[in-house]
Amino acid sequence: MTDITRRNFLKSACVMALSAAAAGVLSGCDSRSKNPVMADVKVQYWRKSNFLGNQKVGNNDEYDETVSVVKSGKVKKEQLQNLGKVMVNTGYKLSDSTATEFDVDWTQEPPVAKVWVEL
């Protein structure tokens, strides 16, 4: 038999309990799950034209804006600050009035999201 005293047993039990508690606390430090990688995405407003082809709305990128998006995610409609300006100043509306998110072309540098509008 080993010489385990009640005192040594309680010390060991306390060390084991503290180790288990520390493991649970440290697992909450996983930064990947709480801090996703963000990227700046350039948002452009485009209109389709049967005669002239696809064209950007406005002159000299006046309606372009940059929003922060979770890497490989989509741009959300509520992030678009210039959408209201485009609609008021040009009379255009969203091509898909039910759209709440817009795809991002992650192959471009910087990544670009095209928001399609129509009369």
Side-chain angles (χ1 to χ4, degrees):
M1 293 290 258
T2 61
D3 294 329
I4 295 181
T5 64
R6 188 178 334 167
R7 182 179 203 143
N8 287 340
F9 174 77
L10 288 174
K11 283 182 184 179
S12 298
C14 286
V15 168
M16 295 293 280
L18 288 174
S19 298
V25 169
L26 292 176
S27 68
C29 295
D30 182 11
S31 64
R32 291 173 293 173
S33 63
K34 295 183 181 175
N35 297 322
V37 177
M38 303 297 282
D40 286 338
V41 174
K42 184 176 184 178
V43 177
Q44 300 174 336
Y45 295 90
W46 286 77
R47 64 185 168 120
K48 294 182 181 181
S49 172
N50 294 333
F51 303 107
L52 303 172
N54 299 335
Q55 294 181 320
K56 281 184 65 176
V57 176
N59 298 318
N60 300 321
D61 304 330
E62 67 182 301
Y63 295 113
D64 289 2
E65 59 186 305
T66 301
V67 297
S68 187
V69 178
V70 174
K71 187 79 172 182
S72 71
K74 295 183 177 188
V75 174
K76 294 181 179 8
K77 184 177 180 179
E78 56 266 10
Q79 292 178 284
L80 304 177
Q81 295 181 3
N82 289 347
L83 179 59
K85 292 178 190 175
V86 169
M87 293 168 69
V88 170
N89 295 347
T90 65
Y92 288 103
K93 61 182 179 181
L94 284 175
S95 294
D96 179 3
S97 61
T98 62
T100 58
E101 295 183 329
F102 303 93
D103 292 327
V104 177
D105 182 356
W106 291 101
T107 62
Q108 294 188 28
E109 188 56 43
V112 174
K114 289 185 177 181
V115 177
W116 291 94
V117 294
E118 64 185 20
L119 285 176

